[in-house]
Amino acid sequence: MKVLSFVIISILVCLSAKSQGNNLTIKSGEVWPDTDGKHINAHGGGILYYNGTYYWFGEARLPRGEKERTKQGVSCYSSKDLLTWKNEGIALAVIMDTTSLLQPGCVIERPKVIYNKKTRKFVMWFHHELKGEGYKAALTGAAVSETITGPYKYLQSLRPNAGIWPVNMSEEQQKTGSKEGELKSWSDEWRQAVKNGMFVRRDFQGGQMSRDMTLFVDKDGKAWHIHSAEENMTLHFSELTDDYLSFTGKYYRVLPGESNEAPAILYKNRKYYLFSSGTTGWKPNPGRLAVSGKITGDYTPLGNPCRGTDEENKTTFGSQSTYILKVEGKKDLTIFMADRWKPENLSDSRHIWLPLVWENGNPVLKWKSEWKPDEYK
Ligand code: GAL
């Protein structure tokens, strides 16, 4: 009898410890403990659903400010219910070699992973800046793995589409126009010149800049690498090759001269929705939404999708978009994932997860301080 009560009590103690350690509801903006009780260290990230499990990839950050560059790499967490997350360790690690572009001290941001059905490989792309060069390099890096949690093998970093014009840039824009330095930055003429492709021409030979980025696999299996290019003034939608490991050279300029970053795509009701932010660094700004019938555009701006107080709308509820997750088997649940950055301690940046609300056929964002996926069909 004594033994039995001991066993029962032990089980109860274990169960209660487990449920206390877990975050059983989603509480945006609060510390979100993983199964070890530590705040989930996966920032600027995205989620891949594979074989009944969600895998969350993000920036593994130090408990310090941005001057302390990447020392670890990309983290991975797994969950079956989107509430309880297990740390799967570092999926892509920095390389301990001072001749490697991926050496500690470089910057690895906004990693995204997609699965290639043909090659059966997991492909990761991320914004990559070089050690000691601030945000100047504007590269995108690729890594690959046969298992979802890694370790991912680093392949290359590059500026895409060198020597190739965007599909939607006219011959006139390719040949003529002002050069950087001829016009006063931010003047009306300068803005017009940017819209007309001044930076595309400047970067034609060396490849186009790639900073904030996301990946999107369309229904035909083609993958698009969507990145802030042209000094963050224009988004480029660049097609990846069938193995997702490089660029085909087909690319489109989207919302030229509109300064979008933090892109995230949702395909729903035959429409492509592009969520993004303005360019104010770690400081949040009003969110943006645009819609198109095709992945590559033209995108029509729908304005700020936030429906909160003035202050919440001005700051996207104190956050910046990173990914849109359609939840498997729940037609009514799509999650807007965002980061509430803490530049003085990036690892403590908070996760903002809001279920999309539909208004006149388009998604909008409303604050929800605590909720569960179970509440949705
Ligand atoms: C933001 C960007 C972040 C990070 C930050 C650095 O605009 O979205 O991912 O790069 O700038 O200041």
Side-chain angles (χ1 to χ4, degrees):
M1 188 60 191
K2 260 193 185 158
V3 172
L4 187 64
S5 359
F6 177 75
V7 170
I8 291 172
I9 288 169
S10 310
I11 291 173
L12 287 176
V13 166
C14 276
L15 283 177
S16 101
K18 196 165 186 325
S19 62
Q20 275 165 20
N22 295 341
N23 184 321
L24 294 175
T25 53
I26 292 170
K27 298 188 202 78
S28 287
E30 295 194 12
V31 165
W32 190 340
D34 64 10
T35 52
D36 298 328
K38 295 200 182 115
H39 181 53
I40 296 170
N41 194 2
H43 309 281
I47 288 183
L48 177 63
Y49 181 74
Y50 180 73
N51 264 351
T53 302
Y54 295 92
Y55 294 87
W56 182 354
F57 296 88
E59 301 160 15
R61 292 287 195 168
L62 294 170
R64 281 172 241 152
E66 77 158 340
K67 292 278 176 306
E68 294 292 328
R69 303 286 167 173
T70 302
K71 294 275 164 32
Q72 300 176 77
V74 176
S75 53
C76 175
Y77 291 78
S78 66
S79 174
K80 290 216 186 278
D81 59 7
L82 296 168
L83 297 169
T84 316
W85 291 92
K86 174 171 176 264
N87 187 351
E88 298 283 353
I90 295 295
L92 172 71
V94 290
I95 297 172
M96 298 299 173
D97 172 351
T98 53
T99 64
S100 170
L101 296 184
L102 212 66
Q103 64 183 290
C106 71
V107 173
I108 295 176
E109 288 183 354
R110 297 189 176 269
K112 305 288 176 305
V113 175
I114 50 180
Y115 177 62
N116 190 298
K117 286 188 184 144
K118 285 188 197 142
T119 62
R120 300 194 176 170
K121 287 186 180 154
F122 299 90
V123 180
M124 179 190 291
W125 286 88
F126 54 92
H127 172 195
H128 185 195
E129 298 291 347
L130 303 179
K131 185 180 176 188
E133 296 188 17
Y135 280 87
K136 206 173 94 212
L139 304 172
T140 184
V144 68
S145 174
E146 280 175 14
T147 50
I148 189 161
T149 54
Y152 283 74
K153 183 174 178 278
Y154 173 57
L155 299 174
Q156 58 164 342
S157 294
L158 76 163
R159 280 192 175 193
N161 302 315
I164 303 166
W165 294 111
V167 178
N168 57 351
M169 188 160 160
S170 70
E171 256 181 56
E172 196 192 327
Q173 287 174 330
Q174 294 170 17
K175 288 198 187 112
T176 52
S178 311
K179 286 208 182 74
E180 205 186 1
E182 287 175 4
L183 303 168
K184 190 165 173 281
S185 294
W186 302 105
S187 62
D188 290 349
E189 301 74 31
W190 182 89
R191 279 179 183 277
Q192 194 52 49
V194 171
K195 274 189 208 258
N196 288 340
M198 178 171 78
F199 292 128
V200 179
R201 289 192 301 273
R202 183 197 67 184
D203 295 338
F204 181 73
Q205 231 142 44
Q208 300 296 320
M209 298 174 91
S210 182
R211 290 206 182 106
D212 278 13
M213 53 92 40
T214 193
L215 299 176
F216 179 76
V217 180
D218 208 352
K219 24 183 210 319
D220 58 5
K222 287 222 179 300
W224 293 87
H225 184 291
I226 296 153
H227 49 111
S228 294
E230 304 177 29
E231 302 291 351
N232 298 342
M233 295 299 289
T234 300
L235 289 168
H236 286 186
F237 281 47
S238 302
E239 190 186 59
L240 293 177
T241 49
D242 284 349
D243 60 9
Y244 301 168
L245 297 178
S246 44
F247 291 86
T248 63
K250 184 175 174 188
Y251 73 111
Y252 294 80
R253 300 176 76 215
V254 167
L255 300 171
E258 302 284 324
S259 292
N260 284 287
E261 54 183 16
I265 299 276
L266 165 68
Y267 177 70
K268 182 109 179 168
N269 304 336
R270 299 181 170 201
K271 289 179 192 155
Y272 295 87
Y273 289 98
L274 165 62
F275 289 79
S276 63
S277 75
T279 50
T280 52
W282 303 113
K283 276 214 201 97
N285 55 56
R288 299 168 181 192
L289 181 63
V291 67
S292 167
K294 281 193 302 187
I295 179 67
T296 49
D298 293 335
Y299 281 84
T300 308
L302 295 174
N304 186 342
C306 301
R307 300 286 181 272
T309 63
D310 283 355
E311 188 51 33
E312 287 171 335
N313 299 344
K314 265 194 253 163
T315 64
T316 316
F317 303 98
S319 73
Q320 188 184 28
S321 43
T322 184
Y323 196 73
I324 304 290
L325 177 68
K326 269 178 153 179
V327 177
E328 218 37 54
K330 289 198 177 282
K331 64 173 180 37
D332 292 345
L333 181 57
T334 300
I335 306 174
F336 170 83
M337 293 170 55
D339 298 280
R340 182 174 289 171
W341 296 113
K342 287 205 185 179
E344 69 294 346
N345 176 357
L346 282 165
S347 70
D348 192 38
S349 298
R350 302 296 166 85
H351 310 292
I352 305 296
W353 282 28
L354 300 175
L356 292 185
V357 176
W358 292 81
E359 189 185 274
N360 306 324
N362 291 321
V364 295
L365 298 169
K366 293 189 179 174
W367 182 251
K368 208 165 188 192
S369 49
E370 188 169 1
W371 62 278
K372 284 181 190 194
D374 272 6
E375 294 164 25
Y376 294 82
K377 273 196 262 170

